Amino acid sequence: MGRIKFYSNTDMTIGYNFNKALDIIKNIKDEEYDINDILEFYNILKIFNEEYLKYVKDESKQLCSGSIRKINSIIGKFCFNINEKNIEDYLGKVDFNYLEDFFEIIDRYKVYKRIGVKKFREILYKKEDYLRFVLQNKDLVNEYSLLIKERLLDYSNSAEFLLEEYEVEHLGKYTSKKFPKDLTNEDKEKILVNYINSDLANLNYLRIIVNLQSTTELNISDRTRLLAKKRAEEHEKSFFDDNAGVPISISVQFQRDLKNTFEFYEKFQDWKFLCNINWIEENIDDNSTLLNYFIHVFEYADTQMRWCLVSKLSYMGIFERSIFMRSKRDYSVGLVFNMLNGLADMQMRGYYSQLQKYDVWIEDLIAWFFDTYLVNEFGVLNFNISLPSRNSNYLEKCRSLLPEIDSCLKQFNYYVEDGIINSELLQISSNHIFFKNVKSLLKNKYVYPIENRYDVIAFYFFSDQCMLKYIERIEEKYNNFYELLLHEKIKKEDIVEYEQTSLQKLIDEQYIYIDENNYLCITNKIQLALLYDIYLNEVISYWRLQKFQRKEIDKLVDIGLLRFESTLFSKPEQNYLNYFLNKSEFNNSLDLRNKYSHGTQPFGNEEVHHSNYIIFLKLFILIIIKINDELCIKDEEAEAKA
């Protein structure tokens, strides 16, 4: 039978291990225990944490609480007898699963005070794995600072430790590392350079170094980034010469006489989008309809006017989330994100070309929106937008259009603040605008979750990793526990034993109740549907909900589960813009605005500039969608109050 190992309160083994721990503590005796017994006791202490014990039965809670002092005493007495003479013998007997815990107790119970530097050097150099576990313990690192610095500098994979701590995003369990106070920034860069030049350099880590933005913890030069870039390119060339990869096909076609305005066919990574030319011809003189094409045909935005092209965690399955390494300061660009934006860019390119045949330019539609539509529909005057000329090359178009995006957002900010656009104020302003600072006309525009409490509920109901969804008599056809409850009649006894504590937590907090037929039921289906929407989309547009839904949102805000913010762009939309245009948020940003502003864009490649210009037009259209949505909601609310 395997020994008890604690991972986290949400790990699916917690209930099973808790029951095993109860059996063990009922039979604790005053006898000699070996090192693995001691480490099992140590893991039992981790399981008996305050957060988990809140949801166990009172009699079990009392048993656990009464045993904690005794277990601590047993571990303490054992550790008191560990010294220089026997530490290696004990270490040699430790089960691999408990190596991490062994170094934890050396740290926690101050065993290192009886271990000299010479002996600890022998341990540290004995196995490469030991360095990783030592770095997880602050007092150990401080005690042997110079020794650990020496080991880091001569260990070929030390760079991975640095990157894991300061750069890599961890979706699963990760224990933070501590580095010696004697390790300087110069030492850290030397470790990275040695790694880049080594035969062991991993492509994933090389890509992290290429995009790394210097911080106080990890500050590297452009030369080191360039070295990593060239090394990464060598790896990629070597890999893709032998591996063709997974084929992806995206096509956009404009055809006559389709049955519908558009048709979309999807088969795995093969997407085909057909547009009806007849519809375009019928509406070629209606600028408003031509702009709405981006919403209702290309689906750049959903019914809440949230941008559909942003990256969402819900787009990525557990395999894609966990297998690909990314920096914690990276924008998540998974397969679905890349395909959606590839499709959107192809739609923009094709639509642009089709409209030109009728002497209609998308730049003219943008100008009409600001010069005519905003004036006639909402009385918004003095919006001043200067768009690229038709005869400009694409490099010139890119350089011309980008400042207008900034100008547009500054003018909208002035309109929100003053109710008018002051052109003199615009001309005197030279400040760079941040997308998060673009204001909204609306109070309580966006709804966001409050972390911790929401995250727990989201995991139990909506995560595909929560085992509450597993019912032995039902095939695994539901993505999560929420979908299971919506479609099946489930009783408490159907839930596996080790998830009963989690289920009871949901019952105690009144998210679920047991009806007269002993079935599990959702207490408030409207609220849970809204929470699921947030789980999938990361934000809700409050004023695009029905009145009865807004009332439920208000209740969830009152109890501290959700919160309001008011900006023109939601956080996912702010991140989307930052990913394409600047390095303010993300290491892997395309940084297109800064490249064209500072003259570091690719030279002599008109097709690259053409592709980038299509992206800029896409972003401008998305911004128009947000501005129009704000003004429409403002008018609708004014009419409702009248």
Side-chain angles (χ1 to χ4, degrees):
M1 181 183 294
R3 288 185 180 271
I4 291 171
K5 175 70 177 175
F6 174 81
Y7 296 100
S8 74
N9 284 340
T10 56
D11 184 80
M12 65 181 65
T13 64
I14 182 73
Y16 172 73
N17 278 322
F18 178 76
N19 290 329
K20 284 178 64 179
L22 290 181
D23 292 336
I24 289 174
I25 64 176
K26 289 174 185 176
N27 298 295
I28 291 180
K29 298 175 182 177
D30 292 327
E31 59 182 55
E32 288 190 10
Y33 293 97
D34 67 24
I35 183 62
N36 290 301
D37 294 329
I38 295 300
L39 295 172
E40 185 167 39
F41 281 139
Y42 183 63
N43 276 272
I44 289 173
L45 286 181
K46 291 182 180 181
I47 291 174
F48 292 172
N49 64 79
E50 184 178 342
E51 179 62 29
Y52 188 75
L53 290 182
K54 283 195 303 187
Y55 301 101
V56 304
K57 296 176 181 178
D58 286 341
E59 57 269 26
S60 297
K61 188 183 302 183
Q62 291 172 5
L63 179 60
C64 297
S65 300
S67 303
I68 290 174
R69 181 178 294 180
K70 188 169 186 178
I71 294 173
N72 259 318
S73 176
I74 292 171
I75 298 174
K77 288 177 181 177
F78 188 95
C79 289
F80 184 76
N81 293 314
I82 301 177
N83 53 50
E84 277 200 0
K85 294 180 180 179
N86 59 24
I87 187 171
E88 285 194 82
D89 291 336
Y90 283 125
L91 181 54
K93 296 173 183 176
V94 173
D95 292 345
F96 179 79
N97 205 33
Y98 281 157
L99 280 173
E100 179 179 19
D101 301 295
F102 178 81
F103 286 101
E104 277 186 38
I105 68 170
I106 298 301
D107 180 275
R108 180 173 174 178
Y109 292 90
K110 311 298 180 185
V111 175
Y112 58 82
K113 291 185 179 293
R114 298 187 294 278
I115 313 297
V117 173
K118 182 179 179 182
K119 173 57 67 174
F120 202 76
R121 173 183 274 107
E122 292 174 10
I123 293 171
L124 203 55
Y125 278 81
K126 195 162 190 175
K127 286 188 179 179
E128 292 181 344
D129 284 341
Y130 293 168
L131 178 59
R132 175 186 293 276
F133 299 134
V134 167
L135 291 173
Q136 293 173 182
N137 297 281
K138 180 180 179 181
D139 288 343
L140 269 181
V141 172
N142 289 338
E143 181 74 12
Y144 304 105
S145 179
L146 286 172
L147 168 60
I148 294 173
K149 170 184 173 177
E150 170 197 312
R151 185 73 178 104
L152 285 166
L153 284 166
D154 66 21
Y155 177 49
S156 55
N157 280 356
S158 292
E160 296 183 4
F161 295 153
L162 291 170
L163 295 170
E164 285 169 5
E165 179 62 23
Y166 298 129
E167 288 297 320
V168 173
E169 179 184 35
H170 305 282
L171 295 176
K173 180 179 181 290
Y174 172 75
T175 304
S176 179
K177 297 178 182 63
K178 291 79 184 172
F179 294 98
K181 57 183 179 294
D182 297 294
L183 193 71
T184 65
N185 267 320
E186 290 75 16
D187 292 330
K188 293 174 183 177
E189 183 157 22
K190 181 179 179 182
I191 287 171
L192 292 179
V193 170
N194 289 341
Y195 180 77
I196 293 167
N197 290 325
S198 75
D199 293 335
L200 299 174
N202 181 293
L203 177 58
N204 289 318
Y205 288 102
L206 290 172
R207 286 170 172 165
I208 295 284
I209 298 171
V210 171
N211 291 319
L212 190 152
Q213 293 191 59
S214 292
T215 63
T216 54
E217 295 90 1
L218 202 56
N219 190 348
I220 67 170
S221 66
D222 290 338
R223 293 182 186 279
T224 298
R225 290 189 194 88
L226 181 59
L227 183 66
K229 181 175 182 290
K230 291 182 176 179
R231 194 84 168 87
E233 288 170 351
E234 291 174 10
H235 276 260
E236 288 165 354
K237 185 177 186 303
S238 173
F239 177 81
F240 288 110
D241 279 349
D242 301 323
N243 299 273
V246 178
I248 294 175
S249 172
I250 303 173
S251 65
V252 175
Q253 300 174 23
F254 288 79
Q255 298 181 3
R256 291 189 178 277
D257 303 321
L258 293 176
K259 291 182 179 180
N260 305 299
T261 306
F262 70 94
E263 295 174 9
F264 179 62
Y265 303 95
E266 175 187 3
K267 187 177 180 182
F268 302 110
Q269 281 83 46
D270 186 4
W271 290 5
K272 185 177 182 180
F273 193 93
L274 305 179
C275 303
N276 195 332
I277 294 178
N278 302 68
W279 185 93
I280 295 175
E281 290 178 341
E282 291 167 6
N283 296 279
I284 199 65
D285 296 322
D286 187 343
N287 289 344
S288 181
T289 301
L290 294 178
L291 279 175
N292 277 325
Y293 205 78
F294 289 102
I295 299 173
H296 303 302
V297 177
F298 294 155
E299 296 182 342
Y300 277 22
D302 65 13
T303 56
Q304 292 185 32
M305 294 301 118
R306 296 173 296 196
W307 296 349
C308 296
L309 305 178
V310 302
S311 175
K312 301 174 187 176
L313 193 60
S314 59
Y315 283 161
M316 293 186 280
I318 187 64
F319 179 76
E320 188 176 12
R321 275 180 266 161
S322 58
I323 196 170
F324 296 112
M325 182 182 295
R326 53 176 57 88
S327 167
K328 64 182 74 172
R329 284 180 280 268
D330 271 1
Y331 188 72
S332 296
V333 285
L335 177 62
V336 173
F337 172 84
N338 285 326
M339 292 190 71
L340 281 173
N341 280 272
L343 176 63
D345 292 348
M346 291 181 69
Q347 289 167 332
M348 174 66 80
R349 190 183 286 242
Y351 194 42
Y352 192 94
S353 177
Q354 287 296 317
L355 292 180
Q356 281 183 320
K357 295 177 181 178
Y358 307 95
D359 198 32
V360 174
W361 295 63
I362 288 177
E363 294 91 338
D364 295 340
L365 297 179
I366 294 173
W368 170 86
F369 174 83
F370 290 104
D371 296 342
T372 304
Y373 174 77
L374 291 185
V375 176
N376 295 340
E377 284 293 317
F378 307 108
V380 179
L381 307 175
N382 299 327
F383 239 115
N384 188 3
I385 300 295
S386 177
L387 294 165
S389 69
R390 296 184 178 186
N391 297 326
S392 304
N393 63 40
Y394 284 110
L395 172 57
E396 294 166 340
K397 286 178 185 286
C398 288
R399 287 178 169 172
S400 175
L401 188 62
L402 278 169
E404 296 307 306
I405 291 178
D406 262 14
S407 175
C408 163
L409 296 178
K410 282 184 180 180
Q411 291 178 74
F412 186 78
N413 250 4
Y414 294 146
Y415 180 76
V416 173
E417 293 169 354
D418 305 325
I420 59 170
I421 298 170
N422 188 329
S423 57
E424 290 181 322
L425 186 60
L426 178 67
Q427 291 167 16
I428 205 171
S429 171
S430 60
N431 294 331
H432 177 68
I433 194 161
F434 294 95
F435 299 120
K436 65 181 180 181
N437 294 335
V438 184
K439 300 178 181 180
S440 172
L441 291 163
L442 309 169
K443 182 182 179 182
N444 298 341
K445 181 177 180 184
Y446 293 120
V447 184
Y448 298 101
I450 294 177
E451 294 179 2
N452 298 326
R453 190 175 169 198
Y454 168 83
D455 290 344
V456 173
I457 299 305
F459 174 77
Y460 287 140
F461 278 111
F462 310 135
S463 172
D464 57 3
Q465 297 304 294
C466 178
M467 292 305 291
L468 281 168
K469 72 172 184 172
Y470 175 72
I471 305 295
E472 190 172 356
R473 62 180 171 80
I474 298 174
E475 294 180 7
E476 284 198 58
K477 57 183 177 181
Y478 300 109
N479 292 321
N480 50 54
F481 186 47
Y482 172 63
E483 292 182 6
L484 177 73
L485 290 176
L486 286 180
H487 298 99
E488 301 286 349
K489 290 187 178 297
I490 305 299
K491 294 186 177 182
K492 188 175 181 181
E493 54 266 30
D494 291 329
I495 304 298
V496 292
E497 183 180 356
Y498 57 80
E499 286 291 356
Q500 286 292 328
T501 303
S502 301
L503 178 62
Q504 189 59 48
K505 180 175 182 177
L506 297 178
I507 294 172
D508 291 345
E509 296 192 4
Q510 299 181 5
Y511 290 101
I512 291 174
Y513 70 94
I514 300 174
D515 70 8
E516 63 276 6
N517 297 314
N518 207 32
Y519 290 120
L520 299 174
C521 300
I522 296 170
T523 304
N524 190 321
K525 289 186 177 181
I526 298 172
Q527 285 189 1
L528 212 55
L530 291 166
L531 293 175
Y532 193 34
D533 189 353
I534 287 182
Y535 179 81
L536 295 175
N537 297 292
E538 299 168 20
V539 64
I540 282 177
S541 182
Y542 181 75
W543 296 104
R544 283 301 174 194
L545 298 177
Q546 298 294 316
K547 192 171 183 179
F548 72 91
Q549 294 172 309
R550 296 204 297 267
K551 287 182 178 179
E552 297 301 326
I553 290 288
D554 293 339
K555 294 176 186 176
L556 292 170
V557 170
D558 288 341
I559 65 173
L561 202 61
L562 303 177
R563 62 183 174 83
F564 289 121
E565 281 191 20
S566 291
T567 49
L568 177 62
F569 306 115
S570 69
K571 288 186 182 298
E573 292 159 355
Q574 295 166 24
N575 292 339
Y576 182 81
L577 290 168
N578 284 324
Y579 167 69
F580 281 105
L581 296 178
N582 60 68
K583 285 274 189 183
S584 66
E585 295 290 333
F586 305 110
N587 286 357
N588 63 335
S589 164
L590 301 185
D591 202 25
L592 295 176
R593 177 170 61 189
N594 290 336
K595 286 179 179 178
Y596 282 97
S597 297
H598 300 147
T600 57
Q601 76 284 335
F603 292 98
N605 193 329
E606 188 71 355
E607 179 51 37
V608 170
H609 300 313
H610 185 191
S611 296
N612 289 339
Y613 187 63
I614 292 298
I615 291 173
F616 299 151
L617 285 176
K618 175 183 69 177
L619 298 181
F620 220 140
I621 292 296
L622 288 168
I623 290 169
I624 283 175
I625 290 171
K626 299 305 290 188
I627 291 174
N628 184 61
D629 182 50
E630 285 251 327
L631 294 166
C632 287
I633 293 173
K634 192 72 174 175
D635 265 17
E636 290 165 8
E637 290 304 305
E639 289 177 10
K641 293 177 181 178

